[in-house]
Amino acid sequence: MSIVIPTFNESANVAELLRRIDATMGSQGWEAVFVDDDSPDGTAAAVRAIACIDQRVRCVQRIGRRGLSSACIEGMLASAAPVIAVMDADLQHDESILPTMLARIDQGADVVVATRYAQGGSTGEWDASRKSMSLWATRMSRLILKQPVSDPMSGFFMLRRDVLEGCVHELSAMGFKILLDLLASSRRELRIAELPYVFRDRFAGESKLDSMVVWEYGMLLLDKTIGRFVPVRFLMFSLIGGLGVFVHMAVLTAALKGFGLDFTVAQTVATLLSMVFNFALNNTLTYRDRRLAGWAWLRGLASFVVACGVGAVANIGISTWLYEHDTRWVLAAIAGILIGAVWNYAVTQLYTWGKKRR
Ligand code: GDD
Ligand code: MN
Protein backbone atom coordinates (compact mmCIF):
# COMPACT_ATOMS: atom_id res chain seq x y z
CA MET A 1 0.00 0.00 0.00
CA SER A 2 1.13 3.49 -0.82
CA ILE A 3 0.12 6.39 1.39
CA VAL A 4 0.01 9.65 -0.54
CA ILE A 5 0.46 12.71 1.65
CA PRO A 6 0.07 16.18 0.14
CA THR A 7 2.01 18.82 2.04
CA PHE A 8 2.41 22.54 2.19
CA ASN A 9 4.33 23.88 5.20
CA GLU A 10 4.06 20.75 7.28
CA SER A 11 7.71 20.23 8.26
CA ALA A 12 6.90 19.93 11.96
CA ASN A 13 4.39 17.14 11.32
CA VAL A 14 6.32 14.82 9.02
CA ALA A 15 8.37 12.85 11.55
CA GLU A 16 5.50 12.34 13.96
CA LEU A 17 3.16 11.25 11.17
CA LEU A 18 5.63 8.65 9.89
CA ARG A 19 6.28 7.42 13.41
CA ARG A 20 2.56 6.87 13.93
CA ILE A 21 2.02 5.22 10.55
CA ASP A 22 4.88 2.85 11.27
CA ALA A 23 3.42 2.07 14.69
CA THR A 24 -0.03 1.17 13.31
CA MET A 25 0.95 -0.54 10.10
CA GLY A 26 3.46 -2.82 11.77
CA SER A 27 4.89 -5.32 9.38
CA GLN A 28 2.23 -4.80 6.70
CA GLY A 29 3.96 -3.47 3.60
CA TRP A 30 3.58 0.24 3.05
CA GLU A 31 5.33 3.23 1.54
CA ALA A 32 4.71 6.95 1.93
CA VAL A 33 4.80 9.36 -1.00
CA PHE A 34 4.86 12.99 0.08
CA VAL A 35 3.92 15.53 -2.57
CA ASP A 36 5.20 18.91 -1.52
CA ASP A 37 4.54 22.16 -3.38
CA ASP A 38 7.94 23.63 -2.61
CA SER A 39 6.97 24.67 0.93
CA PRO A 40 9.03 27.59 2.21
CA ASP A 41 9.34 25.90 5.62
CA GLY A 42 11.49 23.13 4.15
CA THR A 43 8.99 20.28 4.32
CA ALA A 44 10.59 18.54 1.33
CA ALA A 45 14.00 18.58 3.01
CA ALA A 46 12.49 17.21 6.21
CA VAL A 47 10.93 14.35 4.23
CA ARG A 48 14.11 13.61 2.34
CA ALA A 49 16.13 13.54 5.57
CA ILE A 50 13.93 10.68 6.72
CA ALA A 51 13.88 9.09 3.27
CA CYS A 52 17.66 8.73 3.46
CA ILE A 53 17.31 6.28 6.31
CA ASP A 54 13.88 4.80 5.48
CA GLN A 55 13.41 3.53 1.93
CA ARG A 56 9.67 3.38 2.36
CA VAL A 57 9.55 7.18 2.27
CA ARG A 58 9.74 9.35 -0.83
CA CYS A 59 9.19 12.96 -1.75
CA VAL A 60 7.84 14.48 -4.95
CA GLN A 61 8.63 18.17 -4.92
CA ARG A 62 6.65 20.36 -7.31
CA ILE A 63 7.93 23.77 -8.32
CA GLY A 64 5.69 26.71 -9.21
CA ARG A 65 2.54 24.71 -8.59
CA ARG A 66 -0.16 24.66 -5.96
CA GLY A 67 -3.18 22.47 -5.41
CA LEU A 68 -4.17 19.71 -3.07
CA SER A 69 -6.04 17.64 -5.67
CA SER A 70 -3.37 17.73 -8.33
CA ALA A 71 -0.73 16.92 -5.70
CA CYS A 72 -2.66 13.81 -4.65
CA ILE A 73 -3.08 12.69 -8.26
CA GLU A 74 0.61 13.08 -9.00
CA GLY A 75 1.52 11.23 -5.82
CA MET A 76 -0.81 8.35 -6.71
CA LEU A 77 0.69 8.19 -10.19
CA ALA A 78 4.22 8.18 -8.78
CA SER A 79 3.61 4.85 -7.08
CA ALA A 80 3.01 1.37 -8.41
CA ALA A 81 1.24 0.03 -5.32
CA PRO A 82 -2.03 -1.83 -5.96
CA VAL A 83 -3.69 0.03 -3.09
CA ILE A 84 -3.41 3.77 -2.48
CA ALA A 85 -4.36 5.74 0.60
CA VAL A 86 -4.55 9.51 0.73
CA MET A 87 -4.24 11.39 4.00
CA ASP A 88 -3.27 14.81 5.32
CA ALA A 89 0.08 15.43 6.95
CA ASP A 90 -1.21 17.33 9.98
CA LEU A 91 -2.38 14.25 11.97
CA GLN A 92 -6.02 15.32 11.81
CA HIS A 93 -6.75 12.03 10.06
CA ASP A 94 -6.71 9.09 12.44
CA GLU A 95 -3.99 6.81 11.07
CA SER A 96 -4.99 4.01 13.43
CA ILE A 97 -7.86 3.04 11.09
CA LEU A 98 -5.51 2.43 8.14
CA PRO A 99 -5.31 -1.36 8.75
CA THR A 100 -9.12 -1.61 8.92
CA MET A 101 -9.42 0.41 5.73
CA LEU A 102 -6.99 -1.96 4.05
CA ALA A 103 -9.01 -4.93 5.29
CA ARG A 104 -12.12 -3.47 3.63
CA ILE A 105 -10.24 -3.29 0.34
CA ASP A 106 -9.18 -6.93 0.79
CA GLN A 107 -12.83 -7.78 1.38
CA GLY A 108 -13.71 -6.35 -2.04
CA ALA A 109 -14.29 -2.62 -1.64
CA ASP A 110 -13.07 -0.38 -4.48
CA VAL A 111 -12.93 2.72 -2.32
CA VAL A 112 -12.92 3.11 1.47
CA VAL A 113 -13.90 6.53 2.74
CA ALA A 114 -12.94 7.57 6.26
CA THR A 115 -16.02 9.54 7.23
CA ARG A 116 -16.79 12.18 9.83
CA TYR A 117 -20.51 11.96 9.13
CA ALA A 118 -21.51 8.47 10.20
CA GLN A 119 -22.22 6.80 13.52
CA GLY A 120 -18.96 6.95 15.48
CA GLY A 121 -17.43 9.72 13.38
CA SER A 122 -17.25 13.40 14.13
CA THR A 123 -15.74 16.64 12.99
CA GLY A 124 -14.14 17.20 16.38
CA GLU A 125 -13.43 20.76 17.42
CA TRP A 126 -14.94 22.64 14.49
CA ASP A 127 -16.72 25.93 14.93
CA ALA A 128 -20.32 26.31 13.75
CA SER A 129 -19.49 28.17 10.54
CA ARG A 130 -16.96 25.57 9.37
CA LYS A 131 -19.46 22.82 10.20
CA SER A 132 -22.27 24.44 8.27
CA MET A 133 -20.00 25.18 5.32
CA SER A 134 -18.92 21.55 5.17
CA LEU A 135 -22.52 20.33 5.34
CA TRP A 136 -23.58 22.78 2.64
CA ALA A 137 -20.74 21.64 0.37
CA THR A 138 -21.68 18.02 1.02
CA ARG A 139 -25.24 18.74 -0.08
CA MET A 140 -24.07 20.49 -3.26
CA SER A 141 -21.90 17.50 -4.10
CA ARG A 142 -25.01 15.42 -4.77
CA LEU A 143 -25.31 17.33 -8.03
CA ILE A 144 -22.35 15.44 -9.41
CA LEU A 145 -22.23 12.23 -7.37
CA LYS A 146 -23.66 9.04 -8.77
CA GLN A 147 -23.81 7.16 -5.49
CA PRO A 148 -24.61 8.40 -1.99
CA VAL A 149 -21.57 8.85 0.26
CA SER A 150 -21.83 10.36 3.74
CA ASP A 151 -18.56 12.32 3.51
CA PRO A 152 -17.53 12.97 -0.11
CA MET A 153 -15.43 15.93 1.13
CA SER A 154 -13.15 13.66 3.11
CA GLY A 155 -9.46 14.03 2.46
CA PHE A 156 -8.85 10.60 4.00
CA PHE A 157 -9.59 7.56 1.86
CA MET A 158 -8.18 4.46 0.21
CA LEU A 159 -8.71 3.00 -3.23
CA ARG A 160 -7.60 0.28 -5.59
CA ARG A 161 -5.22 1.35 -8.31
CA ASP A 162 -7.66 0.26 -11.06
CA VAL A 163 -10.22 2.78 -9.79
CA LEU A 164 -7.68 5.52 -10.35
CA GLU A 165 -6.66 4.19 -13.73
CA GLY A 166 -10.30 3.99 -14.81
CA CYS A 167 -10.88 7.72 -14.35
CA VAL A 168 -7.52 9.45 -14.22
CA HIS A 169 -8.03 11.14 -17.59
CA GLU A 170 -11.42 12.49 -16.52
CA LEU A 171 -10.26 14.11 -13.29
CA SER A 172 -10.71 17.87 -12.97
CA ALA A 173 -7.75 18.15 -10.57
CA MET A 174 -9.06 21.45 -9.23
CA GLY A 175 -9.02 22.61 -5.64
CA PHE A 176 -9.21 20.57 -2.46
CA LYS A 177 -11.76 17.85 -3.13
CA ILE A 178 -9.91 14.98 -4.70
CA LEU A 179 -12.20 12.21 -3.41
CA LEU A 180 -15.28 13.91 -4.83
CA ASP A 181 -13.43 14.37 -8.11
CA LEU A 182 -12.56 10.65 -8.22
CA LEU A 183 -16.08 9.50 -7.33
CA ALA A 184 -17.73 11.84 -9.84
CA SER A 185 -15.29 10.93 -12.61
CA SER A 186 -15.60 7.17 -12.32
CA ARG A 187 -17.73 5.72 -15.05
CA ARG A 188 -18.50 2.45 -13.36
CA GLU A 189 -20.46 1.76 -10.20
CA LEU A 190 -18.01 1.57 -7.30
CA ARG A 191 -18.18 -0.58 -4.19
CA ILE A 192 -17.75 2.08 -1.54
CA ALA A 193 -17.13 1.24 2.11
CA GLU A 194 -17.25 3.87 4.83
CA LEU A 195 -15.39 3.89 8.08
CA PRO A 196 -16.12 6.47 10.78
CA TYR A 197 -13.34 8.36 12.54
CA VAL A 198 -12.99 11.44 14.68
CA PHE A 199 -11.33 14.39 12.97
CA ARG A 200 -8.56 15.51 15.32
CA ASP A 201 -6.93 18.84 15.98
CA ARG A 202 -3.92 19.81 13.98
CA PHE A 203 -0.61 18.63 15.48
CA ALA A 204 1.51 21.58 14.29
CA GLY A 205 1.29 24.34 11.70
CA GLU A 206 -1.87 25.91 10.35
CA SER A 207 -4.67 25.11 7.92
CA LYS A 208 -4.31 26.10 4.27
CA LEU A 209 -8.04 26.20 3.81
CA ASP A 210 -9.10 29.77 3.10
CA SER A 211 -12.10 31.48 1.54
CA MET A 212 -10.74 30.60 -1.89
CA VAL A 213 -11.67 26.95 -1.42
CA VAL A 214 -15.28 27.98 -1.96
CA TRP A 215 -14.33 29.40 -5.34
CA GLU A 216 -12.26 26.32 -6.19
CA TYR A 217 -15.12 24.10 -5.17
CA GLY A 218 -17.41 26.04 -7.50
CA MET A 219 -14.91 25.50 -10.32
CA LEU A 220 -14.88 21.76 -9.62
CA LEU A 221 -18.70 21.55 -9.63
CA LEU A 222 -18.86 23.53 -12.88
CA ASP A 223 -16.15 21.44 -14.49
CA LYS A 224 -17.96 18.24 -13.60
CA THR A 225 -21.29 19.50 -14.98
CA ILE A 226 -20.78 21.80 -17.96
CA GLY A 227 -17.03 21.22 -18.29
CA ARG A 228 -17.69 18.62 -20.98
CA PHE A 229 -18.99 21.37 -23.26
CA VAL A 230 -16.91 24.43 -22.33
CA PRO A 231 -13.70 24.56 -20.30
CA VAL A 232 -14.45 26.19 -16.93
CA ARG A 233 -11.29 28.22 -17.11
CA PHE A 234 -12.54 29.73 -20.35
CA LEU A 235 -15.81 30.64 -18.64
CA MET A 236 -13.96 32.30 -15.76
CA PHE A 237 -11.66 34.07 -18.17
CA SER A 238 -14.63 35.41 -20.17
CA LEU A 239 -16.51 36.41 -17.04
CA ILE A 240 -13.52 38.39 -15.82
CA GLY A 241 -13.18 39.89 -19.31
CA GLY A 242 -16.79 41.04 -18.99
CA LEU A 243 -16.01 42.69 -15.66
CA GLY A 244 -13.03 44.32 -17.32
CA VAL A 245 -15.44 46.24 -19.57
CA PHE A 246 -16.91 47.92 -16.49
CA VAL A 247 -13.46 48.79 -15.20
CA HIS A 248 -12.61 50.20 -18.62
CA MET A 249 -15.73 52.37 -18.66
CA ALA A 250 -15.17 53.62 -15.12
CA VAL A 251 -11.55 54.57 -15.83
CA LEU A 252 -12.49 56.13 -19.15
CA THR A 253 -15.20 58.26 -17.54
CA ALA A 254 -12.83 59.39 -14.80
CA ALA A 255 -10.06 60.20 -17.27
CA LEU A 256 -12.37 62.13 -19.60
CA LYS A 257 -14.58 63.94 -17.11
CA GLY A 258 -12.35 64.04 -14.05
CA PHE A 259 -8.93 64.69 -15.53
CA GLY A 260 -10.05 66.22 -18.80
CA LEU A 261 -7.70 64.02 -20.86
CA ASP A 262 -8.32 63.79 -24.57
CA PHE A 263 -10.13 60.73 -25.81
CA THR A 264 -7.22 58.76 -27.27
CA VAL A 265 -5.14 59.18 -24.14
CA ALA A 266 -8.10 58.35 -21.90
CA GLN A 267 -8.98 55.29 -23.95
CA THR A 268 -5.38 54.08 -23.85
CA VAL A 269 -5.18 54.49 -20.08
CA ALA A 270 -8.51 52.69 -19.66
CA THR A 271 -7.40 49.84 -21.93
CA LEU A 272 -4.13 49.34 -20.06
CA LEU A 273 -5.72 49.51 -16.63
CA SER A 274 -8.46 47.07 -17.55
CA MET A 275 -5.78 44.72 -18.88
CA VAL A 276 -3.96 44.93 -15.53
CA PHE A 277 -7.26 44.30 -13.77
CA ASN A 278 -8.00 41.28 -15.97
CA PHE A 279 -4.53 39.90 -15.54
CA ALA A 280 -4.54 40.28 -11.75
CA LEU A 281 -7.96 38.69 -11.36
CA ASN A 282 -7.19 35.79 -13.69
CA ASN A 283 -3.95 35.25 -11.86
CA THR A 284 -5.65 34.91 -8.48
CA LEU A 285 -8.84 33.18 -9.60
CA THR A 286 -8.64 31.37 -12.93
CA TYR A 287 -5.03 30.30 -12.59
CA ARG A 288 -4.79 30.13 -8.82
CA ASP A 289 -2.96 26.81 -9.08
CA ARG A 290 -0.25 28.39 -11.24
CA ARG A 291 -0.28 31.81 -9.66
CA LEU A 292 2.61 34.08 -10.62
CA ALA A 293 4.32 36.17 -7.97
CA GLY A 294 7.16 38.68 -7.80
CA TRP A 295 9.03 39.20 -11.06
CA ALA A 296 7.06 36.42 -12.69
CA TRP A 297 3.95 38.50 -12.03
CA LEU A 298 5.38 41.42 -14.01
CA ARG A 299 6.63 39.19 -16.82
CA GLY A 300 3.21 37.55 -16.88
CA LEU A 301 1.52 40.94 -17.10
CA ALA A 302 3.76 41.93 -20.02
CA SER A 303 2.99 38.76 -21.98
CA PHE A 304 -0.71 39.16 -21.13
CA VAL A 305 -0.77 42.71 -22.51
CA VAL A 306 1.02 41.64 -25.70
CA ALA A 307 -1.27 38.64 -26.23
CA CYS A 308 -4.42 40.65 -25.62
CA GLY A 309 -3.12 43.42 -27.88
CA VAL A 310 -2.84 40.93 -30.72
CA GLY A 311 -6.29 39.61 -29.74
CA ALA A 312 -7.71 43.11 -30.07
CA VAL A 313 -6.20 43.48 -33.56
CA ALA A 314 -7.71 40.11 -34.56
CA ASN A 315 -11.05 41.17 -33.09
CA ILE A 316 -11.10 44.44 -35.02
CA GLY A 317 -9.85 42.85 -38.25
CA ILE A 318 -12.38 40.07 -38.30
CA SER A 319 -15.36 42.15 -37.25
CA THR A 320 -14.48 44.81 -39.81
CA TRP A 321 -14.19 42.21 -42.56
CA LEU A 322 -17.56 40.70 -41.58
CA TYR A 323 -19.17 44.14 -41.38
CA GLU A 324 -17.91 45.04 -44.83
CA HIS A 325 -19.31 41.76 -46.12
CA ASP A 326 -22.88 42.62 -45.17
CA THR A 327 -22.98 41.15 -41.68
CA ARG A 328 -25.19 43.06 -39.25
CA TRP A 329 -23.03 45.24 -37.02
CA VAL A 330 -24.10 43.50 -33.80
CA LEU A 331 -23.24 40.08 -35.20
CA ALA A 332 -19.96 41.31 -36.64
CA ALA A 333 -19.03 42.76 -33.25
CA ILE A 334 -19.98 39.59 -31.35
CA ALA A 335 -17.96 37.44 -33.77
CA GLY A 336 -14.96 39.72 -33.28
CA ILE A 337 -15.30 39.63 -29.50
CA LEU A 338 -15.63 35.83 -29.44
CA ILE A 339 -12.61 35.28 -31.62
CA GLY A 340 -10.61 37.80 -29.59
CA ALA A 341 -11.64 36.08 -26.35
CA VAL A 342 -10.73 32.61 -27.58
CA TRP A 343 -7.41 33.92 -28.85
CA ASN A 344 -6.62 35.70 -25.58
CA TYR A 345 -7.55 32.65 -23.56
CA ALA A 346 -5.59 30.19 -25.68
CA VAL A 347 -2.47 32.30 -25.97
CA THR A 348 -2.28 33.47 -22.34
CA GLN A 349 -2.95 29.95 -21.12
CA LEU A 350 0.10 28.84 -23.03
CA TYR A 351 2.48 31.78 -22.61
CA THR A 352 1.36 33.68 -19.52
CA TRP A 353 0.38 30.80 -17.27
CA GLY A 354 2.00 28.02 -19.27
CA LYS A 355 4.93 25.92 -18.12
CA LYS A 356 7.51 27.97 -20.02
CA ARG A 357 7.18 30.97 -17.73
CA ARG A 358 8.14 29.19 -14.55
N1 GDD B 1 0.95 19.72 -2.10
C1 GDD B 1 0.03 20.51 -1.55
N2 GDD B 1 -0.36 21.65 -2.23
N3 GDD B 1 -0.53 20.20 -0.36
C2 GDD B 1 -1.44 21.04 0.16
C3 GDD B 1 -1.87 22.22 -0.47
C4 GDD B 1 -1.28 22.54 -1.75
O1 GDD B 1 -1.58 23.54 -2.39
N4 GDD B 1 -2.81 22.81 0.31
C5 GDD B 1 -2.92 22.03 1.41
N5 GDD B 1 -2.11 20.96 1.34
C6 GDD B 1 -1.94 19.87 2.29
C7 GDD B 1 -1.68 20.31 3.71
O2 GDD B 1 -0.31 20.49 3.97
C8 GDD B 1 -2.27 19.14 4.50
O3 GDD B 1 -1.36 18.06 4.62
C9 GDD B 1 -3.44 18.72 3.64
O4 GDD B 1 -3.16 19.16 2.33
C10 GDD B 1 -4.78 19.31 4.13
O5 GDD B 1 -4.66 20.70 4.25
P1 GDD B 1 -5.23 21.46 5.53
O6 GDD B 1 -4.87 22.89 5.39
O7 GDD B 1 -4.83 20.76 6.77
O8 GDD B 1 -6.80 21.32 5.27
P2 GDD B 1 -7.97 21.12 6.32
O9 GDD B 1 -7.55 20.34 7.51
O10 GDD B 1 -8.58 22.44 6.58
O11 GDD B 1 -9.00 20.22 5.48
C11 GDD B 1 -8.66 18.87 5.17
O12 GDD B 1 -9.46 17.91 5.77
C12 GDD B 1 -10.82 17.90 5.37
C13 GDD B 1 -11.47 16.74 6.03
O13 GDD B 1 -10.86 15.51 5.66
C14 GDD B 1 -8.72 18.66 3.67
O14 GDD B 1 -8.23 17.36 3.37
C15 GDD B 1 -10.13 18.79 3.17
O15 GDD B 1 -10.18 18.54 1.77
C16 GDD B 1 -10.98 17.80 3.89
O16 GDD B 1 -12.33 18.01 3.56
MN1 MN C 1 -5.78 19.82 8.22
Side-chain angles (χ1 to χ4, degrees):
M1 175 180 72
S2 186
I3 306 169
V4 173
I5 305 155
T7 56
F8 191 75
N9 287 345
E10 305 286 1
S11 61
N13 292 317
V14 170
E16 177 63 15
L17 175 67
L18 286 169
R19 195 189 62 72
R20 293 199 199 177
I21 290 175
D22 193 35
T24 19
M25 290 303 293
S27 58
Q28 298 193 63
W30 62 274
E31 64 169 3
V33 179
F34 286 82
V35 186
D36 183 63
D37 284 350
D38 206 16
S39 305
D41 79 341
T43 305
V47 173
R48 280 195 288 264
I50 299 174
C52 284
I53 46 173
D54 188 339
Q55 292 189 1
R56 296 171 299 185
V57 179
R58 276 189 293 145
C59 179
V60 175
Q61 184 177 0
R62 308 196 302 171
I63 311 289
R65 306 267 306 279
R66 277 301 299 274
L68 181 46
S69 281
S70 62
C72 293
I73 295 165
E74 280 161 50
M76 295 192 260
L77 291 173
S79 113
V83 179
I84 307 160
V86 172
M87 75 188 293
D88 294 349
D90 54 8
L91 300 151
Q92 291 194 282
H93 294 158
D94 182 358
E95 71 293 328
S96 71
I97 66 169
L98 282 169
T100 321
M101 291 169 84
L102 190 56
R104 293 291 153 81
I105 297 270
D106 288 339
Q107 288 156 11
D110 292 311
V111 181
V112 184
V113 182
T115 173
R116 298 160 288 176
Y117 301 122
Q119 196 69 45
S122 111
T123 49
E125 304 288 299
W126 271 6
D127 59 35
S129 85
R130 170 105 199 229
K131 253 182 210 154
S132 81
M133 219 168 81
S134 179
L135 276 174
W136 178 83
T138 306
R139 244 172 254 145
M140 292 286 291
S141 73
R142 294 192 191 125
L143 289 173
I144 60 172
L145 276 178
K146 291 152 193 149
Q147 295 161 262
V149 191
S150 69
D151 194 359
M153 302 296 149
S154 179
F156 188 19
F157 58 93
M158 199 179 279
L159 74 169
R160 285 176 197 283
R161 169 160 299 279
D162 56 271
V163 175
L164 172 72
E165 281 170 3
C167 66
V168 68
H169 296 103
E170 268 68 50
L171 294 173
S172 303
M174 291 169 175
F176 255 55
K177 305 304 173 192
I178 176 61
L179 175 65
L180 179 60
D181 197 354
L182 283 162
L183 296 177
S185 303
S186 180
R187 265 164 297 178
R188 69 180 169 90
E189 178 113 4
L190 296 170
R191 281 158 303 191
I192 302 174
E194 299 191 290
L195 212 61
Y197 79 104
V198 177
F199 197 69
R200 292 188 298 223
D201 274 346
R202 234 176 194 279
F203 184 69
E206 49 200 49
S207 174
K208 280 88 216 173
L209 204 111
D210 56 18
S211 55
M212 292 305 292
V213 297
V214 178
W215 171 270
E216 288 181 327
Y217 185 54
M219 294 243 291
L220 174 65
L221 290 181
L222 274 179
D223 192 55
K224 280 280 167 285
T225 45
I226 54 171
R228 250 170 302 163
F229 312 108
V230 221
V232 207
R233 288 198 211 255
F234 178 65
L235 284 182
M236 299 296 159
F237 190 87
S238 307
L239 199 80
I240 291 169
L243 289 176
V245 174
F246 290 98
V247 172
H248 184 110
M249 288 322 220
V251 175
L252 184 64
T253 314
L256 281 177
K257 310 275 183 227
F259 295 91
L261 299 179
D262 78 45
F263 182 79
T264 313
V265 178
Q267 174 76 349
T268 309
V269 171
T271 304
L272 284 174
L273 279 181
S274 58
M275 276 178 173
V276 175
F277 167 83
N278 272 0
F279 170 75
L281 224 56
N282 277 310
N283 192 48
T284 28
L285 298 178
T286 318
Y287 292 104
R288 184 170 150 76
D289 53 341
R290 310 180 203 169
R291 201 163 17 166
L292 305 169
W295 285 112
W297 193 92
L298 278 180
R299 263 203 314 273
L301 174 65
S303 72
F304 186 85
V305 168
V306 172
C308 295
V310 177
V313 173
N315 169 350
I316 293 166
I318 285 157
S319 51
T320 308
W321 186 87
L322 285 172
Y323 181 71
E324 283 167 356
H325 286 76
D326 295 330
T327 309
R328 288 234 303 275
W329 67 271
V330 179
L331 291 180
I334 290 174
I337 289 170
L338 264 179
I339 285 167
V342 171
W343 164 274
N344 290 349
Y345 171 71
V347 174
T348 58
Q349 159 164 280
L350 215 60
Y351 291 100
T352 307
W353 289 284
K355 296 200 170 68
K356 282 188 191 143
R357 288 270 152 198
R358 291 190 304 272

